Amino acid sequence: MKRSSHRILATHVGSLPRPADLRALYLEPAPPEKLEPRLTSAVAEVVRQQIEAGIDVVNDGEFGKPMSDAVDYGAWATYVYERLTGFEMRDLSNDFDIIKSFMGGSKDRRDFAEYYATPEAYAGPSSRAIRFPINVAPIRYAGHEIIQRDIRNFKAALAGKNLEDAFMTAVVTGVVIGRGEYYKSAEEQAAAVAEAMREEYKAITDAGINLQLDDPLIVNIYEFDYSIAGDLKAFRKWAAAHVELVNHALEGIPEDKVRYHVCWGSWKGPHSADLPLRDVIDLVLKVKANQYSVEAANPQHEHEWKVWKDVKLPAGKAVIPGVISHKTNVLEHPETIADRIARYAEALGRENVIASTDCGMGGRIHPSIAWAKLRALAQGAALASDRLWGRTTHSA
């Protein structure tokens, strides 16, 4: 996995804006013979767009993960239910509150209830009926053909391209939404997901592609379940067990092929109850990964570059700070981006920093703004490289 040995490399977290016609095919849903030719060409296009924007470490935009609406906060996780056995999709009852079901313990949502009741806090309408996955049978991985399709499309798009590195994303083990009816406990169900998802992780790395694990749970569970009581001790007990499960899922996966993404959620709210990075960083670094992706442009977390001044980053590893945000339509100035990068370089060493986004840009921000932000990211990385190496190393 490449590091910033000669200049600051630019990457992103994964999700990129889907073309409208691809979303329409997912909405139908189109049969494979109709979907797959367009999916193949769309992946080729998004790889080209990333290279043209100046991104060094690219991915497939997560285009193989179904998204049917321009605004979609959950495709990074909900895609798994097409690839796992044991889940049944059910219609929600009229009185069921999907947000309250997994965010009911949020101090932020309690303290700012008036805001969260306004349209401003609403992500947007869905073209699909809202259904909920319920575990009703043994969980096994059944997405072998789909992940091989995604790998095939990505490798074809990469062929002959001049770039530094590439990655594909997969949801971390333990993403379990809603009650289960088959396993005796949530922990048993999460362990079954871990065993199943290892097959997807291994397929990606076996193909010679770096794996990014997406894991907002490691910090968001604090807000959802522990923030009202402020019970950090109980949270850390849960988080330690969660890290053990993540590492169990990574058994047999080369550590130097894994990057681990942590974020505090994409909803546009105050985030006043976000867990400080300092309170979980030791556990994050126990995950068997080579690079760690964290939010650094989010106003609640921009100051946390200072945490890395006190933390010993294991030798040979790197941090991927998000230096542009998907939570605002304001376009970051390249100088601001360079300043953010330079602070991380000061704390960690320039070779241990790769510039990125806070989270995925697809489904969270207008495509034209998302791509403008990625271009600004590359420009900011070039400015930071000039400062840190004292020479022009990369054209904006």
Side-chain angles (χ1 to χ4, degrees):
M1 193 174 289
K2 294 289 184 70
R3 298 167 71 201
S4 296
S5 56
H6 303 294
R7 60 182 174 85
I8 296 295
L9 298 180
T11 186
H12 61 96
V13 165
S15 181
L16 293 173
R18 275 62 156 182
D21 61 338
L22 181 61
R23 296 199 313 270
L25 289 172
Y26 279 127
L27 179 61
E28 287 186 26
E33 61 269 20
K34 186 176 179 182
L35 169 68
E36 292 185 6
R38 179 56 185 130
L39 179 57
T40 299
S41 64
V43 172
E45 290 167 9
V46 80
V47 168
R48 175 184 53 79
Q49 285 178 284
Q50 290 171 77
I51 295 170
E52 290 176 351
I55 301 301
D56 301 298
V57 184
V58 307
N59 82 329
D60 63 348
E62 299 186 7
F63 281 14
K65 297 175 171 64
M67 181 186 289
S68 58
D69 293 290
V71 177
D72 186 334
Y73 286 5
W76 65 276
T78 56
Y79 83 94
V80 297
Y81 300 111
E82 184 183 13
R83 305 186 189 192
L84 297 176
T85 66
F87 287 92
E88 179 181 290
M89 304 302 290
R90 295 182 184 171
D91 294 329
L92 300 177
S93 62
N94 292 333
D95 61 348
F96 183 77
D97 187 333
I98 190 169
I99 298 297
K100 189 175 181 179
S101 71
F102 62 94
M103 290 186 178
S106 166
K107 183 177 184 297
D108 189 62
R109 288 179 179 268
R110 184 197 67 181
D111 292 352
F112 294 91
E114 291 183 3
Y115 163 75
Y116 280 111
T118 68
E120 186 178 351
Y122 179 52
S126 173
S127 300
R128 292 181 174 182
I130 298 177
R131 311 190 78 202
F132 217 54
I134 306 296
N135 173 233
V136 297
I139 296 171
R140 302 283 187 273
Y141 190 73
H144 303 90
E145 291 185 9
I146 301 175
I147 189 59
Q148 290 301 327
R149 175 204 69 187
D150 291 348
I151 290 169
R152 188 167 57 248
N153 283 337
F154 189 35
K155 294 189 84 169
L158 293 173
K161 300 296 190 300
N162 182 22
L163 48 84
E164 291 288 340
D165 219 340
F167 70 99
M168 292 181 70
T169 64
V171 68
V172 82
T173 176
V175 174
V176 180
I177 299 175
R179 64 193 182 281
E181 298 176 353
Y182 180 80
Y183 293 97
K184 294 179 181 178
S185 67
E187 292 76 16
E188 187 178 342
Q189 182 175 330
V193 175
E195 293 288 346
M197 289 304 295
R198 182 189 295 123
E199 297 190 41
E200 179 159 297
Y201 307 159
K202 193 169 188 303
I204 292 170
T205 56
D206 282 354
I209 300 170
N210 296 322
L211 165 69
Q212 176 180 293
L213 284 187
D214 292 328
D215 187 12
L217 284 185
I218 187 88
V219 290
N220 283 339
I221 287 293
Y222 173 79
E223 181 187 344
F224 299 166
D225 295 343
Y226 300 98
S227 63
I228 287 179
D231 194 343
L232 183 61
K233 182 178 180 181
F235 162 76
R236 281 182 55 85
K237 181 179 179 181
W238 171 87
H242 178 73
V243 167
E244 287 184 9
L245 193 58
V246 171
N247 284 335
H248 176 67
L250 286 171
E251 286 180 7
I253 310 297
E255 186 172 314
D256 63 359
K257 297 288 290 181
V258 179
R259 58 192 235 181
Y260 182 63
H261 170 62
V262 174
C263 72
W264 281 261
S266 294
W267 66 91
K268 294 177 173 63
H271 284 263
S272 63
D274 279 7
L275 178 74
L277 179 62
R278 188 179 296 276
D279 290 338
V280 76
I281 187 61
D282 59 321
L283 297 176
V284 168
L285 290 176
K286 288 182 178 180
V287 173
K288 294 178 180 178
N290 182 260
Q291 298 178 357
Y292 301 91
S293 164
V294 295
E295 293 193 41
N298 177 342
Q300 278 286 342
H301 300 280
E302 185 172 359
H303 67 286
E304 289 181 330
W305 66 273
K306 299 172 186 176
V307 172
W308 297 99
K309 297 174 73 173
D310 304 324
V311 170
K312 178 67 173 177
L313 183 68
K317 299 198 175 186
V319 175
I320 311 175
V323 289
I324 59 172
S325 175
H326 59 299
K327 293 179 180 176
T328 174
N329 290 325
V330 177
L331 181 62
E332 292 87 350
H333 193 283
E335 289 282 359
T336 298
I337 294 168
D339 289 346
R340 289 170 175 166
I341 294 169
R343 289 196 288 265
Y344 273 82
E346 173 190 338
L348 291 160
R350 62 190 183 183
E351 70 281 1
N352 298 324
V353 178
I354 298 171
S356 186
T357 62
D358 271 350
C359 197
M361 308 297 279
R364 284 86 179 268
I365 197 167
H366 191 276
S368 63
I369 299 175
W371 285 105
K373 282 175 175 274
L374 289 174
R375 290 191 293 271
L377 169 62
Q379 292 163 7
L383 289 174
S385 296
D386 290 348
R387 292 187 202 173
L388 296 168
W389 275 267
R391 53 189 171 84
T392 301
T393 57
H394 184 69
S395 59

